[in-house]
Amino acid sequence: MAETTIEWTDATWNPVAGCSIMSSGCTNCYAMRMAARLEAMGVEKYKGLTRKSGGRPKWTGALYLDEDALQIPKTWSRPRNVFVNSMSDLFHPDIPVSFVRKVWSVMSDTPRHTYQVLTKRPDRMAAILKEDFDLLPNVWLGTSVEDSQVVHRLDELRQVPAAIRFVSFEPLIGSVSAGSLEGIHWAIVGGESGPKARQMEASWIDEIFDMCSDADAAFFFKQWGGHNKKKTGRSYRGRTWDNMPATAA
């Protein structure tokens, strides 16, 4: 619920905290480390959301629905790109549809902001939103795809009613050449960072770059990652790539 250094957004908003490990991309999740740190600092919202396993924090599966945080975007007068639930997943199976509706209501009431909702569960996202949710032009809906094992999420994302669909290939830990970006408007690519970061191959990025060209999707290169992401930087093919869909705030 603050300004952020995430390159593709302006602020984060966390009406939910906590999650569950879903696939191999979750192994070194930064949010697990951050949640453990915040609990150690005495932040009540993050109490019991992680446990130590193998010397590292892991999600327990517990969630915290933060009713008090729901109205925060209404206090922001300047238009912002807002990453929704950087510390959770709005479409986690244990989040009631009634709470998703509350989040939707706030996003509807604040059309000056552009909301970026990212999930590893696009199948549940599609099922819920096809019921009787309004299609909001200021809400972008996306999924995370880290390797070929979860490339099916792209097909599931195409079933989601959305003004803008996007995919985060981060952490990119394998080839996703079996996928297609048809019907998807934006792709973010990034390598894993941190002490146990897995290496990203340049050829995997090339595949996504070509997929973007074929589907006329915007290409955003976030980072090479590694143990020192500042050192490895953000340059790909000799330049930075900060392309976004035209409706960004």
Side-chain angles (χ1 to χ4, degrees):
M1 296 170 294
E3 303 297 324
T4 180
T5 58
I6 298 173
E7 290 83 354
W8 47 266
T9 197
D10 300 319
T12 59
W13 173 43
N14 284 293
V16 183
C19 204
S20 303
I21 290 178
M22 183 76 175
S23 58
S24 56
C26 303
T27 301
N28 299 317
C29 175
Y30 77 92
M32 291 192 297
R33 300 195 304 269
M34 179 63 72
R37 192 177 308 148
L38 290 168
E39 180 178 13
M41 293 167 58
V43 181
E44 187 68 22
K45 178 173 177 174
Y46 294 92
K47 185 177 181 180
L49 301 188
T50 62
R51 60 180 175 82
K52 277 290 183 68
S53 176
R56 294 186 293 175
K58 298 288 179 67
W59 294 122
T60 62
L63 302 174
Y64 186 93
L65 306 185
D66 191 351
E67 297 275 353
D68 292 339
L70 281 172
Q71 305 304 317
I72 287 176
K74 294 182 179 181
T75 69
W76 297 335
S77 58
R78 177 177 60 83
R80 305 179 186 205
N81 293 324
V82 182
F83 179 16
V84 180
N85 282 335
S86 63
M87 299 296 291
S88 185
D89 185 332
L90 185 61
F91 294 94
H92 188 285
D94 292 337
I95 295 178
V97 174
S98 59
F99 194 83
V100 177
R101 289 191 189 282
K102 292 180 181 181
V103 173
W104 223 254
S105 177
V106 173
M107 296 192 297
S108 177
D109 290 344
T110 51
R112 62 187 175 277
H113 302 314
T114 295
Y115 293 94
Q116 300 153 317
V117 183
L118 186 62
T119 183
K120 285 185 170 64
R121 300 160 175 89
D123 52 343
R124 186 170 191 246
M125 176 190 275
I128 289 174
L129 298 183
K130 282 181 177 179
E131 293 179 6
D132 59 349
F133 279 75
D134 292 335
L135 193 158
L136 301 178
N138 64 322
V139 175
W140 300 1
L141 299 173
T143 192
S144 299
V145 174
E146 64 264 27
D147 59 22
S148 61
Q149 298 301 308
V150 294
V151 77
H152 59 85
R153 292 177 186 162
L154 296 174
D155 292 329
E156 294 163 355
L157 179 63
R158 275 184 275 272
Q159 301 303 311
V160 175
I164 295 290
R165 298 184 194 92
F166 71 100
V167 56
S168 174
F169 294 106
E170 184 188 14
L172 186 61
I173 57 174
S175 170
V176 293
S177 61
S180 164
L181 292 178
E182 194 67 34
I184 297 171
H185 308 92
W186 185 36
I188 304 163
V189 180
E192 191 167 62
S193 60
K196 297 184 182 293
R198 292 162 284 185
Q199 185 173 343
M200 177 175 63
E201 300 292 337
S203 61
W204 303 339
I205 311 170
D206 294 339
E207 292 166 354
I208 297 169
F209 187 87
D210 291 342
M211 289 162 63
C212 285
S213 297
D214 292 342
D216 197 24
F219 176 83
F220 190 107
F221 186 68
K222 182 174 179 286
Q223 64 185 30
W224 283 95
H227 296 174
N228 186 339
K229 67 178 184 179
K230 290 185 178 180
K231 183 177 181 180
T232 55
R234 299 187 56 224
S235 179
Y236 168 67
R237 297 190 178 188
R239 54 163 285 192
T240 56
W241 300 82
D242 291 338
N243 299 339
M244 299 182 77
T247 55

